Each structure stands twice: as structure tokens, then as C-alpha cells.
């Protein structure tokens, strides 16, 4: 597969806001206490509505970290780092929840491949280096975030995270449910960030770039999250989700007893994840699959499977593939691009086989 393009710049500047609980001359309690000048009033309202407050993180460990990601009414995408920052100053006590949010326009969001886990990691580095903002401020400057390095293909031995088949199966089952329009709450005690990233990178860019997601934040129907990954008791979740169009499931069971919704697509990505082919996955889902409907995904996957199979074919089989795909009439741009790549690779394979005496 062709390589994904490397980012043109190493850093980007984004608007930011801090939502937490502090005491000041204007009041106390949870609110947006600081924001950069580019933050609009209705964006602050949405951040206030969605951000976790006292007791809203799944775990009480002071090192607990959560993530939220959602599209704002202005079209920008918000990614938030959620954690604890000392103790509450109010009479109720307990740990203070701290949410640091950044806003990305469409161009910047796509520089992060619409991957909130990558944005969250860059934001976490900033918070670790500079500490939380715990004093009300009239304004914050824009925040500078480092862009992720280009993805690479690795063998499974070099990339152990690609190996566990149950995690891959869970991610692909969740991705298929999201493509089908469902909303999910998945219980996962460990590895929530890794699971979220695998799910999202298994979706075409235009599907995931507007998806609302969270990790480590207690499920609440009012937040209207399409994909929430939590560590909460199933019974409590089922009660809160009652009457909502939301499926609650253990992450390691979502792939059990199901018929694949997008069989060819899931089969291809399952193999690629197991082979550590993250670069190829990113190229397919981020750079190639633009403006395609879900019913084209299996056809696209079928061409990718044929491209991968070329190296094991005899000369006659390669000629058959060339004849078949020369007659093909691709209906989408990705199918056209991949068909052209297949024919080019097939001709190169045939030339090599004929040169070696395999007629």
C-alpha cells in the first residue's frame, strides 16, 4: 500500500479552555475558569455541559486520566484531558476534577488523523511540563501541541500491541456497530485508550472525525457520547442506559456470537492489525476512503486482499487477475485508485515471473 503523507509541520497552535472548580471573587464551583480569546461563548457552554465534575471519573486513583472528544456547534472538534488536580476546596471535599480542553479546526483535526488519543497524548505532555491551570485568568494564549509522527508498519514482534486477537476482534466489532449507526458503552478495566484508538482507526476518516467519544469518564446520557469506554459495574450502567438507544457490553464480549456487518472490511483489518500494518491501515482509512458509503467498504477491502495476494500467485493466476481487473468498472474513487495500483503491481509481478522463466 502507498505510504501515508507525513505532516507538513511538527506543531500546531489551538484554542484552549480549562474547566474545574476554584474559589474566586466571582464565585466557586465547576466552570470554565480560563480560555484563549478565540473561544466562542456557545463553545464554552458546550464544554461546560459535557465536562466531568465532582465524582464523574470512573476511578478514584489520583493518577487516573480520562478523555473526552466531541464536535462543537461551530464545527470545531474538542479533545479534553480529564484528571485530578488536588483536593476540592468546597465543604464536600474529595478530589478536584480538572478538564483541559483544546479546540481543533477541520484542517488541524485532520493533521492528527482525527485521532483524539494522539491529541490527548500531546495535551498530556503539555500538562506534565507546565502543570494544571488552577487560577482564574482573563485569557490564555493558544496552546502549542506536537503532531504525531507518521505511522509505520511493524512486525508483530516489534509491535506487541498489535498481537492480542481478542482486542482486535473487540475493536472491529465496535467499529462495525458504529458504522451501522449504533451507540456503545464498553466496559474495559485496562487498555481503554489503546482500544479506543484501534476502534477509531478502523473507521473511515469521515466517520470518525465527528464521532463523540470518552474514556474513563462515567457514562451519563446527558453527554450524548456515541462511544464510551468505562470501568463501571454492568448493573449500574444498564440502569443509567435504560430507555436510551445505547448498547452496553463488556469490551471482550462484544465480538462473541455475532455475524460480521462488514465481513470483507473486518477480515482485512483484522489481518492487517495482527501483522502490525498500522501505516497501511492509516493510509486506507485516513487518506484513501473519502466520501464512500459503507456498502463500498467490502469491495474496497476485496481489492486490497487481491493486491496482497499477488506475490503468491503463479504467472497464469496473475494474468487472470489482470484480465479480471482490466474489465472492472470501479464505482468509487478509492476503488479506482486501488484497481490502478493492483494492475501496476500485477504487471510488475508478471514481468518478474517471466524473467525468471515462470511462464
Amino acid at each position: 500500500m502507498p505510504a501515508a503523507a507525513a505532516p507538513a509541520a511538527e506543531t500546531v497552535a489551538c484554542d484552549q479552555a480549562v474547566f474545574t472548580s476554584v474559589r474566586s471573587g466571582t464565585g466557586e464551583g465547576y466552570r470554565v475558569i480560563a480560555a484563549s480569546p478565540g473561544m466562542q461563548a456557545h463553545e464554552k457552554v458546550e464544554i461546560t455541559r459535557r465536562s466531568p465534575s465532582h465524582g464523574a471519573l470512573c476511578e478514584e486513583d489520583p493518577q487516573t486520566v480520562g478523555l473526552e472528544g466531541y464536535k462543537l456547534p461551530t464545527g470545531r472538534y474538542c479533545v479534553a484531558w480529564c484528571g485530578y488536580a488536588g483536593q476540592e476546596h468546597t465543604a464536600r471535599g474529595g478530589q478536584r476534577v480538572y478538564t483541559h480542553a483544546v479546540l481543533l479546526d477541520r484542517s488541524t483535526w485532520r493533521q492528527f488523523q482525527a485521532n483524539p488519543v494522539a491529541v490527548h497524548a500531546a495535551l498530556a505532555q503539555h500538562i506534565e511540563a507546565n502543570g494544571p491551570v488552577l487560577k482564574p485568568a482573563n485569557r490564555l494564549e493558544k496552546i502549542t501541541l506536537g503532531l504525531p509522527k507518521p505511522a509505520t508498519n511493524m512486525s508483530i514482534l516489534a509491535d506487541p500491541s498489535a498481537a492480542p486477537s481478542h482486542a482486535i476482534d473487540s475493536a472491529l466489532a465496535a467499529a462495525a456497530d458504529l458504522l451501522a449507526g449504533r451507540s456503545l458503552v464498553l466496559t474495559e478495566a485496562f487498555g481503554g485508550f489503546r482500544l479506543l484508538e484501534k476502534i477509531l482507526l478502523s473507521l473511515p476518516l469521515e466517520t470518525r472525525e465527528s464521532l463523540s467519544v470518552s474514556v474513563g469518564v462515567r457514562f451519563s446520557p446527558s453527554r450524548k457520547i456515541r462511544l464510551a469506554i468505562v470501568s463501571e459495574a454492568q448493573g449500574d450502567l444498564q440502569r443509567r442506559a435504560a430507555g436510551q438507544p445505547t448498547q452496553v457490553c463488556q469490551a471482550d464480549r462484544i465480538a462473541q456470537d455475532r455475524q460480521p456487518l462488514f465481513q470483507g472490511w473486518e477480515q482485512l483489518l483484522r489481518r492487517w492489525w495482527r501483522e502490525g500494518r498500522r501505516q497501511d491501515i492509516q493510509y486506507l482509512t485516513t487518506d484513501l476512503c473519502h466520501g464512500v458509503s459503507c456498502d463500498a467498504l467490502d469491495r474496497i477491502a476485496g481489492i486490497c486482499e487481491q493486491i496482497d495476494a499477488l506475490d503468491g500467485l503463479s504467472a497464469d493466476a496473475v494474468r487472470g487477475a489482470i484480465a479480471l481487473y482490466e474489465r472492472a468498472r470501479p464505482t468509487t474513487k478509492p476503488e479506482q485508485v486501488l484497481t490502478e495500483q493492483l494492475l501496476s503491481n500485477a504487471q510488475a509481478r508478471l514481468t518478474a515471473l517471466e524473467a525468471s522463466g515462470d511462464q
Side-chain angles (χ1 to χ4, degrees):
M1 299 290 291
E10 294 183 355
T11 62
V12 291
C14 310
D15 280 315
Q16 60 174 324
V18 172
F19 176 90
T20 192
S21 176
V22 297
R23 181 180 288 119
S24 69
T26 58
E28 62 179 33
Y30 283 92
R31 61 196 188 280
V32 174
I33 66 165
S36 53
M39 187 79 64
Q40 300 181 32
H42 44 302
E43 291 176 325
K44 291 182 183 179
V45 170
E46 187 71 3
I47 289 170
T48 299
R49 184 178 74 83
R50 288 182 175 265
S51 296
S53 57
H54 187 84
L57 298 185
C58 290
E59 304 291 341
E60 296 182 357
D61 186 324
Q63 302 304 313
T64 290
V65 174
L67 174 155
E68 285 192 318
Y70 47 87
K71 195 171 185 178
L72 292 163
T74 56
R76 294 202 284 185
Y77 195 89
C78 177
V79 178
W81 182 99
C82 309
Y84 293 117
Q87 297 296 306
E88 278 267 20
H89 60 275
T90 59
R92 64 186 170 189
Q95 297 184 92
R96 168 170 44 198
V97 178
Y98 175 85
T99 298
H100 200 136
V102 294
L103 277 66
L104 300 90
D105 60 27
R106 191 182 192 198
S107 173
T108 305
W109 185 216
R110 287 192 167 189
Q111 285 183 277
F112 280 97
Q113 294 86 48
N115 179 359
V117 177
V119 180
H120 187 273
L123 182 53
Q125 289 182 341
H126 174 89
I127 294 169
E128 183 176 354
N130 298 280
V133 177
L134 295 175
K135 293 183 179 179
N138 291 330
R139 60 176 284 163
L140 292 175
E141 298 303 322
K142 285 189 172 185
I143 189 172
T144 299
L145 299 178
L147 289 167
K149 295 180 180 179
T152 57
N153 288 337
M154 299 181 179
S155 68
I156 290 179
L157 291 177
D159 182 18
S161 66
S165 59
H166 65 85
I168 297 168
D169 290 344
S170 296
L172 291 173
D177 281 344
L178 292 167
L179 281 169
R182 296 169 186 155
S183 297
L184 300 174
V185 179
L186 301 180
T187 57
E188 171 66 65
F190 306 101
F193 286 89
R194 181 175 292 170
L195 176 61
L196 174 63
E197 188 169 48
K198 272 193 169 54
I199 293 170
L200 294 180
L201 293 182
S202 299
L203 296 169
L205 175 69
E206 289 164 335
T207 300
R208 69 177 184 260
E209 67 182 351
S210 60
L211 206 64
S212 54
V213 300
S214 67
V215 176
V217 178
R218 286 171 59 83
F219 170 70
S220 171
S222 66
R223 292 197 180 96
K224 300 189 182 303
I225 295 292
R226 284 281 313 282
L227 172 61
I229 300 176
V230 300
S231 53
E232 298 186 65
Q234 283 274 322
D236 290 342
L237 284 171
Q238 295 286 2
R239 282 190 290 274
R240 266 178 278 148
Q244 302 294 320
T246 302
Q247 176 184 349
V248 177
C249 186
Q250 288 181 223
D252 59 357
R253 294 185 180 177
I254 191 173
Q256 295 178 2
D257 301 323
R258 64 182 288 272
Q259 292 295 321
L261 298 174
F262 305 95
Q263 186 166 1
W265 181 261
E266 293 180 48
Q267 178 177 302
L268 174 72
L269 292 187
R270 180 177 295 106
R271 179 168 62 81
W272 280 7
W273 277 121
R274 288 175 176 168
E275 293 173 356
R277 292 172 61 175
R278 183 180 173 121
Q279 183 182 24
D280 290 341
I281 292 169
Q282 182 172 301
Y283 170 74
L284 179 65
T285 66
T286 303
D287 299 325
L288 188 60
C289 286
H290 288 293
V292 298
S293 60
C294 291
D295 61 5
L297 296 179
D298 282 350
R299 297 197 304 271
I300 291 168
I303 304 172
C304 292
E305 294 280 14
Q306 186 65 62
I307 292 172
D308 283 356
L310 286 172
D311 284 345
L313 297 183
S314 67
D316 283 343
V318 173
R319 292 187 188 97
I322 291 173
L324 176 64
Y325 281 92
E326 282 181 337
R327 296 193 302 270
R329 295 293 181 265
T331 58
T332 66
K333 182 67 173 178
E335 290 173 88
Q336 179 183 340
V337 170
L338 289 168
T339 297
E340 291 172 355
Q341 182 186 340
L342 185 150
L343 290 170
S344 175
N345 290 10
Q347 191 58 59
R349 168 69 174 165
L350 184 58
T351 300
L353 288 170
E354 291 174 342
S356 67
D358 184 347
Q359 300 298 317

